[in-house]
Amino acid sequence: MASERSTPSRDRRRAELREFLRSRRARVSPGDVGLPAGGGRRRTPGLRREEVAVLAGVGVSWYTWLEQGRDIRVSAEVVDAIARALLLAPAERAHLYRLVGLTPPQVVAGPSVPAPPQVRRLLDAWSPRPGYIRDRHWYFTDINDAARAVFGYGEKDHNCLVSFFTNVRYRVLHRHWADTAPDVVAGFRADAARYPEDPEFDRIATELAVTSPEFAELWERHDVAEHASAVKAVDHPDVGTLVFDATLLPLPDLPGHHLILHNPHPGTDTGARLDRLMGTRSLVVTHPG
């Protein structure tokens, strides 16, 4: 039966599991986890298998089988216990989940915070192309000048979803607003489902449904969708049609936050029009009189 279950991919995963557990065990000393160092010299660095088993609350034989990569059933609770025993970082814990064939728990989204300096510099350097960062509730945390100029975002625009339905200028500029709206709402509902205990999603949706009949109707459909990219077309009054490829990039250091970057769509003159738009704005800012 074991040979029937064995596949090249499973064998590679078991080999990686063996080496990963051994390497993590070797880097943790007894003193790191509150155990006495013991007398004499250890044959191998780090913790012994039986010490990891005791710390994790599992049998020594069972842990040995796990480290040997045998075909045994592993629960999420046991993975967490071993991760604590080996002092694994969050990324290492997720890696261990995958190696034993389990889906890692969802990372808890942090509070809405401004981007760290290196991400902010990336956003600034992306100009004159539009870019912004939104948190898990779709609030803007950072936005560059190009995004404001192209999409018509003003000082009162704080939430990407709310602005889509309530910012009249954005709606007029967006060539395919009606076609895009269902996907926007479906994306917000999908994100809300990731955080079922978070009441802020319901608050945003409830308040927006009062002010926007279009949103209310789409929200009642209960559609869900996930999109990592899109094409946006804007009919700008100053420079004409601008077409962008929009790419949504998660920020691992800020769980729940995404960086959304817009690049001129190939085969269009969007780049030249964008340069003209932002160059004009720069002159206006430099010489306000």
Side-chain angles (χ1 to χ4, degrees), residues 47-64:
L47 297 176
R48 299 187 177 100
R49 286 176 176 170
E50 55 266 29
E51 291 171 330
V52 177
V54 169
L55 289 168
V58 299
V60 176
S61 295
W62 186 92
Y63 178 77
T64 300

Side-chain angles (χ1 to χ4, degrees), residues 27-45:
R27 72 177 188 178
V28 181
S29 68
D32 292 335
V33 290
L35 294 177
R41 192 173 182 182
R42 291 183 171 236
R43 290 180 297 175
T44 56

Side-chain angles (χ1 to χ4, degrees), residues 59-261:
V60 176
S61 295
W62 186 92
Y63 178 77
T64 300
W65 294 338
L66 176 68
E67 194 170 293
Q68 291 173 344
R70 295 196 188 186
D71 188 13
I72 58 176
R73 186 177 297 276
V74 185
S75 69
E77 291 76 14
V78 170
V79 173
D80 286 339
I82 293 172
R84 289 191 295 270
L86 295 175
L87 305 179
L88 299 187
E92 294 172 322
R93 173 173 169 261
H95 185 58
L96 180 57
Y97 262 84
R98 297 185 183 99
L99 290 179
V100 301
L102 298 176
T103 301
Q106 180 177 309
V107 177
V108 177
S112 179
V113 295
Q118 64 271 25
V119 179
R120 179 67 229 192
R121 287 194 294 270
L122 171 62
L123 192 60
D124 289 339
W126 192 251
S127 190
R129 292 160 294 180
Y132 54 83
I133 299 171
R134 72 183 192 203
D135 67 10
R136 68 180 182 275
H137 302 122
W138 292 27
Y139 284 105
F140 295 115
T141 64
D142 293 275
I143 183 168
N144 68 11
D145 289 339
R148 296 189 183 278
V150 169
F151 301 120
Y153 291 131
E155 294 302 321
K156 294 182 179 180
D157 291 293
H158 303 296
N159 184 283
C160 187
L161 176 72
V162 175
S163 293
F164 185 91
F165 284 93
T166 63
N167 182 323
V168 176
R169 177 173 169 79
Y170 178 92
R171 183 166 177 162
V172 170
L173 291 176
H174 202 299
R175 174 179 291 186
H176 304 297
W177 188 94
D179 294 332
T180 305
D183 286 339
V184 171
V185 177
F188 186 76
R189 185 175 283 281
D191 280 357
R194 300 175 187 274
Y195 311 100
E197 304 301 322
D198 189 337
E200 181 66 8
F201 289 96
D202 286 339
R203 188 195 67 77
I204 294 170
T206 299
E207 292 186 1
L208 184 55
V210 173
T211 58
S212 172
E214 293 100 335
F215 173 80
E217 189 274 326
L218 292 170
W219 188 247
E220 285 303 313
R221 294 183 187 180
H222 290 268
D223 292 338
V224 294
E226 295 184 1
H227 302 285
S229 62
V231 177
K232 295 182 181 179
V234 173
D235 290 323
H236 200 280
D238 296 331
V239 294
T241 300
L242 303 168
V243 185
F244 297 96
D245 292 327
T247 303
L248 185 147
L249 303 169
L251 298 176
D253 291 340
L254 296 174
H257 292 61
H258 289 82
L259 173 65
I260 294 88
L261 299 177

Side-chain angles (χ1 to χ4, degrees), residues 253-284:
D253 291 340
L254 296 174
H257 292 61
H258 289 82
L259 173 65
I260 294 88
L261 299 177
H262 302 78
N263 210 31
H265 188 70
T268 70
D269 59 355
T270 297
R273 292 173 183 262
L274 187 60
D275 287 339
R276 189 160 70 250
L277 172 65
M278 297 309 296
T280 302
R281 286 177 59 88
S282 177
L283 290 175
V284 170

